[in-house]
Amino acid sequence: MIPISAGNEETAPGLLTWLNETRADRGIHVLTDDGRWRFQPYTELADGALRAAHRLRSLGARPGDTVAIIADDPREFVTAFMGTMAAGSVPLPIAGPRGFRRAGHFSRHLASVLSVAGPVLVCGDETAREPVARATGNDVPFAGVLDPGGTGRPEDLPTPRRGPADLAFVQFTSGSSASPKGVRITRANLSANIASIRGWLRWSEQDVFASWLPLYHDMGLVGAMITSVVSGTDLWLMTPRQFVREPVRWLECFGLRGATLTTAPTFGYAHVARRVDPARL
């Protein structure tokens, strides 16, 4: 098990050490739109994140620069987020258009966040390209999805010198009741949060995590994704849209696939109680 500690080393222990301590028999299982689970071992995810980091460097992102990420697909999001951290840059997760009921609300939210955060570039799927161009007047490069393909790791990616006081990521409020406000999360903050979560849950080698929460939200981002990845824990991921449509698939992660841990807001459990016929249990 990878030790988690706030520490005082250059890379804030536990946040990036997983890149070199991966296992091929554990990884992320993502539910596809055709109803199948797609498995990506941590060895493959680590290689992809490092290739994404290499691409970010080639696009001009440097340690300490902010990189915005707008991606609904969990695999694309995790690769971009971890690749940005591996490059020493600061990921800024932003909800995509599907996270908003009205296109106008998304456009206003996006313009507000990007103007305040000042990212050097935006990574995301094609649904975000046009809104980003409108929000920034084409002044911020759009890099597309950071999934460069190929195999192996880049040999010339220098290790960024990032300390505990440096930023791990930046997160913005939804802006549903006021203008979006940014929160600066340091690497020490994140490491301490991960340690607290693991200690409180008595997280062990045998645990398996399942989540349907959006990865741009702190509960899904830190509680589910980041803590699982840096711990080398098997992770079963659905999108919120898939959960709303078939909440029983979330329950199957526990009844059929060995998941032992999860986190969700109250309305998620209420949705399961309303929508899942007891006979399915």
Side-chain angles (χ1 to χ4, degrees):
M1 181 177 292
I2 300 172
I4 306 296
S5 168
N8 57 7
E9 297 180 17
E10 293 173 356
T11 56
L15 300 182
L16 293 177
T17 53
W18 71 273
L19 291 167
N20 297 308
E21 299 178 8
T22 56
R23 290 176 51 170
D25 62 335
R26 291 187 181 178
I28 297 178
H29 305 256
V30 175
L31 184 63
T32 61
D33 286 337
D34 62 5
R36 294 182 294 180
W37 291 97
R38 180 178 180 183
F39 176 62
Q40 183 180 35
Y42 278 125
T43 48
E44 182 182 310
L45 176 63
D47 287 351
L50 290 173
R51 291 195 303 274
H54 191 271
R55 184 175 173 219
L56 279 173
R57 292 285 184 87
S58 71
L59 292 171
R62 296 291 178 259
D65 287 344
T66 300
V67 175
I69 301 170
I70 309 173
D72 287 326
D73 182 272
R75 289 183 68 252
E76 294 173 355
F77 181 94
V78 175
T79 298
F81 190 95
M82 291 301 181
T84 301
M85 288 191 69
S89 299
V90 180
L92 165 63
I94 302 176
R98 290 178 175 175
F100 295 82
R101 294 182 178 180
R102 296 187 297 274
H105 187 189
F106 171 67
S107 297
R108 290 191 297 273
H109 175 79
L110 183 62
S112 178
V113 169
L114 294 180
S115 66
V116 172
V120 296
L121 55 88
V122 179
C123 304
D125 53 39
E126 286 303 308
T127 63
R129 184 182 294 274
E130 185 177 340
V132 168
R134 289 199 305 269
T136 65
N138 287 311
D139 288 339
V140 180
F142 187 84
V145 175
L146 283 182
D147 188 5
T151 58
R153 301 181 172 207
E155 299 295 333
D156 57 345
L157 183 68
T159 301
R161 297 181 65 84
R162 305 285 287 158
D166 290 317
L167 291 183
F169 66 93
V170 176
Q171 187 174 30
F172 275 75
T173 59
S174 65
S176 58
S177 59
S179 297
K181 296 177 176 61
V183 180
R184 297 160 59 89
I185 310 297
T186 68
R187 292 182 172 230
N189 293 154
L190 182 55
S191 293
N193 196 184
I194 291 170
S196 178
I197 291 170
R198 286 167 49 99
W200 184 63
L201 293 176
R202 298 184 177 88
W203 199 297
S204 77
E205 282 277 355
Q206 288 71 46
D207 280 313
V208 176
F209 209 104
S211 177
W212 54 268
L213 299 180
L215 296 177
Y216 56 81
H217 185 276
D218 59 291
M219 192 182 291
L221 178 65
V222 179
M225 190 274 281
I226 297 178
T227 302
S228 293
V229 170
V230 302
S231 302
T233 296
D234 264 325
L235 176 62
W236 296 79
L237 285 178
M238 301 171 61
T239 66
R241 188 178 68 260
Q242 291 168 333
F243 169 74
V244 169
R245 187 170 60 241
E246 286 190 284
V248 72
R249 300 303 301 271
W250 182 47
L251 298 186
E252 288 173 355
C253 292
F254 305 93
L256 302 178
R257 307 187 186 281
T260 59
L261 298 173
T262 193
T263 182
T266 303
F267 67 78
Y269 299 103
H271 181 64
V272 170
R274 286 193 307 268
R275 289 289 304 277
V276 179
D277 189 323
R280 295 292 299 275
L281 303 180

